[in-house]
């Protein structure tokens, strides 16, 4: 498991971490499998969406700010119940395929760390799982198509 | 990695692709593991929900249309910022268990390609990862329970 | 694949199942990989968020109740279209890393079964996939870094 550090600058901020994830995956050297990015926080999430036009991330920040109001009849005393809800709505992890050692994002897709209670120093965990079917197939032992 | 092609007919449309995913998984011949469906687009997602009563998909389309307004103070010039946000809310991928070569959906569950900026010609990527614990266990080499 | 049983007591309820998932993962004995929790229902989901202060779960229940109205112009005749939508918004599965045989949750994170149409008797499926890259690397056969 690898650890990425992310410094956020605003309360709500979609930070593009695509290049950092790509570099990690290349360094790990797994030819074929699935890459997971996981956020170990409870007021931040991770999303995959367009990173070509930075205005998309700005619009996404606005949508999430409006979707769950910051003020309300909340019981949690820290004043960030909306941040917890936004983290649930984006999700805590994303899975991305790895083929020939490369991260298989769609043409316009990037990976965003989604800050909902910043600014803070954050972490993102990254792991690549190799494909057992592939590994085993190469040895001709288990894969059913070979029988 | 396999590629499914999906033709959507409306701006917002939950398309039932369960049968196509099941056929792919059967053809791949992995006995035990996890199947991933991944959408490489930024204005479409993928969800698992009831496909027995088609009215559920219709109601889900309505909920998503109302959840994020199409018009608003958006900066992205393509007029589909709401579509990007809806894709983030459903998610870019889903994971489904594979047991004895079969896709393990719940009794009422189906897999839906979620179009939020159609109609378009779309793709969905599918991959099945075999379980290394299983493969390795058969050879008695790594799994800790065998020690 | 292991099965956890969850008894819910309210229509909307975030049930903390962290301890049950941790016990299952320890019993499965996979040293390194990814643990998946999967909800086979269509009106319930699963989320990862703060479980230290139980008020956070209460606030999350309130946010979801307000986010999708229970009454509306729905076609599905069972009166739970909002529950289906909430299940799509939280998601059907979560992935959590396993390192040295342990579930790698963040410091404040717990796993919640998210009931949106209770009270009911529910199930959650759990599977741990071992890392093929690790297994194969130990034998020096496939991992590219060894070449």
């Amino acid at each position: 498991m690898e650890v990425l550090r992310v410094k956020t600058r605003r309360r709500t901020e979609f930070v593009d971490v695509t290049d950092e994830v790509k570099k990690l995956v290349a360094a790990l050297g797994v030819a074929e499998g699935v890459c997971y990015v996981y956020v170990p926080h409870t007021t931040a999430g991770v999303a995959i969406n367009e990173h070509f036009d930075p205005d998309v991330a700005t619009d996404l920040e606005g949508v999430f700010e409006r979707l769950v109001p910051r003020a309300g009849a909340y019981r949690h005393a820290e004043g960030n119940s909306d941040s917890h809800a936004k983290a649930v709505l984006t999700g805590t992890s994303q899975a991305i395929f790895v083929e020939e050692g490369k991260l298989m994002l769609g043409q316009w897709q990037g990976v965003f760390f989604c800050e909902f209670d910043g600014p803070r120093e954050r972490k993102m965990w990254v792991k690549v799982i190799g494909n057992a079917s592939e590994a085993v197939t190469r040895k001709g032992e288990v894969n059913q198509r070979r029988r």
Side-chain angles (χ1 to χ4, degrees), chain A:
Chain A
M1 187 181 98
E2 309 293 319
V3 179
L4 274 181
R5 287 170 192 282
V6 183
K7 195 182 168 76
T8 62
R9 298 160 300 169
R10 298 189 297 277
R11 185 166 195 264
T12 304
E13 184 183 9
F14 278 50
V15 183
D16 188 344
V17 293
T18 314
D19 286 349
E20 288 87 339
V21 177
K22 277 185 181 169
K23 273 176 209 158
L24 266 184
V25 169
L28 287 169
V30 176
E32 203 253 292
V34 176
C35 169
Y36 302 84
V37 287
Y38 183 93
V39 170
H41 308 288
T42 59
T43 54
V46 56
I48 293 172
N49 210 266
E50 178 174 335
H51 74 146
F52 182 77
D53 176 5
D55 282 347
V56 172
T58 306
D59 287 347
L60 289 172
E61 291 166 9
V63 167
F64 273 88
E65 280 178 345
R66 290 185 293 270
L67 203 57
V68 185
R70 185 169 179 178
Y74 298 122
R75 291 167 62 162
H76 183 52
E78 293 182 23
N80 60 0
S81 289
D82 65 310
S83 317
H84 288 285
K86 290 161 186 169
V88 169
L89 289 170
T90 50
T92 296
S93 69
Q94 297 289 343
I96 310 153
F97 298 164
V98 174
E99 302 272 333
E100 298 177 4
K102 283 186 189 159
L103 199 65
M104 293 294 287
L105 289 162
Q107 186 178 5
W108 310 106
Q109 287 182 330
V111 183
F112 290 94
F113 180 93
C114 308
E115 174 64 82
F116 295 117
D117 194 29
R120 293 207 205 186
E121 306 270 349
R122 300 289 207 172
K123 287 177 187 167
M124 199 157 93
W125 297 345
V126 182
K127 187 195 269 284
V128 180
I129 293 280
N131 193 348
S133 313
E134 281 300 301
V136 171
T137 299
R138 292 184 200 194
K139 287 172 239 150
E141 282 173 299
V142 173
N143 192 285
Q144 295 193 322
R145 282 186 293 178
R146 297 297 162 103
R147 279 177 199 157

